[in-house]
C-alpha cells in the first residue's frame, strides 16, 4: 500500500490512527517534513478536516488524511464542539479543561448529561478527489474524571454500555467503539470502493 500522510500534530490521535490503520504505512506530518500552519476556520468538523487535508496536500503528492474531532455536550449547547482543542486556550492542560466542564455540569442530573465524541476524517488525493466521513460515539459527562489512558477529554466521557470512561478502556477496545475507529474504518471502505487502496 502507498504511504498515507496523516495531517495531525496530535500524538494521541496518531497513536490510535496507526493502530486502526495497521495495514497501511501512516506517515506523520513531522516524519514527512511538512510544517504547515493551517487555520481551522471552518464551522463544522467536516469543513475543518477538509481544510487540514487540503492544506497538507498542497505540499505533497501522497494521499493525505486528516481528522477533525471534538466533544459535544448537549447541556452546554454542544460546546466545546469544533473548539475542543482551543477550549480555555490551546495550551491549557486537559486536567483544567476537564475540571472546568465538570464544574459547569455540577448538579445536572444524569439524564441531562448526554454528550458525544464526533470525528470527521477527510481524504485529499493527488488527483484532486476528496472524500469526507463522520462518525460519533454517544455517552455522557460523568460526575468526576476517571482513567489515565487515551487523551484529551477521555477521563470525563463515559459510555453507558461499557460502564466506564473512555480513559479506562484499553487502546484496542477504544478503537473498536470510538468515533475515530468508526470513521477511519468508514474511510477505508470509501477508499477501497474507489480503488484508491486495496
Ligand atoms: P490536529 O488538528 O493537529 O489533528 P488537534 O488536537 O488540534 O490536532 P482537533 O482540532 O481535531 O485536533 O481537536 C480535537 C480535540 O478534541 C482534541 O484535542 C481533544 O481535546 C478532543 N478529542 C478528539 N478526539 C478525542 C478522543 O478520542 N478522546 C478525547 N478527546 C478527544
Amino acid at each position: 500500500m502507498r504511504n498515507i500522510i496523516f495531517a495531525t500534530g496530535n500524538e494521541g490521535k496518531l497513536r490510535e490512527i496507526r493502530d486502526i490503520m495497521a495495514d497501511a504505512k501512516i506517515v506523520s506530518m513531522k516524519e514527512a517534513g511538512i510544517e504547515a500552519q493551517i487555520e481551522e476556520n471552518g464551522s463544522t468538523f467536516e469543513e475543518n478536516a477538509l481544510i487540514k487535508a487540503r492544506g497538507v496536500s498542497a505540499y505533497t503528492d501522497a494521499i493525505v488524511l486528516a481528522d477533525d474531532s471534538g466533544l459535544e455536550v448537549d447541556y452546554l449547547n454542544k460546546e466545546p464542539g469544533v473548539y475542543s482543542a482551543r477550549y480555555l486556550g490551546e495550551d491549557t492542560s486537559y486536567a483544567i479543561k476537564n475540571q472546568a466542564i465538570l464544574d459547569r455540569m455540577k448538579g445536572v442530573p444524569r439524564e441531562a448529561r448526554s454528550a458525544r465524541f464526533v470525528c470527521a476524517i477527510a481524504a485529499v488525493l493527488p488527483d484532486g478527489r476528496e472524500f469526507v466521513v463522520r462518525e460519533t460515539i454517544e455517552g455522557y459527562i460523568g460526575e468526576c474524571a476517571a482513567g489515565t489512558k487515551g487523551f484529551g477529554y477521555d477521563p470525563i466521557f463515559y459510555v453507558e454500555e461499557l460502564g466506564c470512561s473512555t480513559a479506562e478502556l484499553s487502546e484496542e477496545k477504544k478503537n473498536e467503539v470510538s468515533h475515530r475507529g468508526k470513521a477511519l474504518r468508514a474511510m477505508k471502505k470509501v477508499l477501497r470502493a474507489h480503488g484508491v487502496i486495496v
Side-chain angles (χ1 to χ4, degrees):
M1 192 183 279
R2 281 194 283 174
N3 283 358
I4 295 178
I5 296 182
F6 217 105
T8 183
N10 180 320
E11 292 295 328
K13 282 184 186 177
L14 203 55
R15 237 187 7 254
E16 293 182 1
I17 288 157
R18 287 210 153 108
D19 206 57
I20 299 160
M21 305 277 286
D23 52 343
K25 172 99 174 81
I26 299 293
V27 180
S28 68
M29 274 164 67
K30 206 163 145 195
E31 287 162 348
I34 298 172
E35 278 184 39
Q37 285 296 335
I38 299 155
E39 200 194 339
E40 293 174 32
N41 53 10
S43 54
T44 64
F45 293 104
E46 288 91 332
E47 276 172 27
N48 278 337
L50 265 173
I51 288 169
K52 288 188 237 187
R54 284 178 189 146
V56 170
S57 181
Y59 292 85
T60 174
D61 54 10
I63 298 168
V64 178
L65 295 187
D67 163 311
D68 197 66
S69 45
L71 176 68
E72 285 184 351
V73 181
D74 292 328
Y75 184 78
L76 304 178
N77 297 316
K78 301 212 162 125
E79 273 185 52
V82 289
Y83 297 104
S84 291
R86 290 164 276 177
Y87 180 60
L88 301 179
E90 191 103 36
D91 295 328
T92 303
S93 76
Y94 275 91
I96 291 173
K97 295 190 202 221
N98 285 334
Q99 191 54 52
I101 292 179
L102 291 176
D103 290 346
R104 290 175 73 187
M105 299 292 286
K106 218 175 191 122
V108 175
R110 165 66 189 90
E111 61 273 17
R113 304 183 74 93
S114 56
R116 70 202 51 76
F117 276 131
V118 181
C119 176
I121 300 281
V124 173
L125 309 190
D127 62 12
R129 280 182 292 171
E130 298 182 336
F131 305 104
V132 193
V133 296
R134 178 191 211 265
E135 292 287 344
T136 59
I137 176 173
E138 296 291 330
Y140 65 97
I141 301 303
E143 303 275 349
C144 55
T148 54
K149 301 189 187 88
F151 66 98
Y153 297 101
D154 280 325
I156 61 168
F157 183 81
Y158 288 67
V159 180
E160 188 79 65
E161 306 80 60
L162 300 174
C164 64
S165 82
T166 45
E168 295 178 283
L169 297 176
S170 68
E171 191 143 311
E172 196 182 5
K173 185 68 192 173
K174 183 181 170 192
N175 290 342
E176 198 182 302
V177 297
S178 78
H179 51 317
R180 181 165 299 100
K182 292 195 259 184
L184 280 166
R185 288 190 290 274
M187 177 54 82
K188 268 195 195 171
K189 233 183 210 171
V190 169
L191 294 177
R192 263 193 209 113
H194 286 83
V196 180
I197 59 173
V198 286

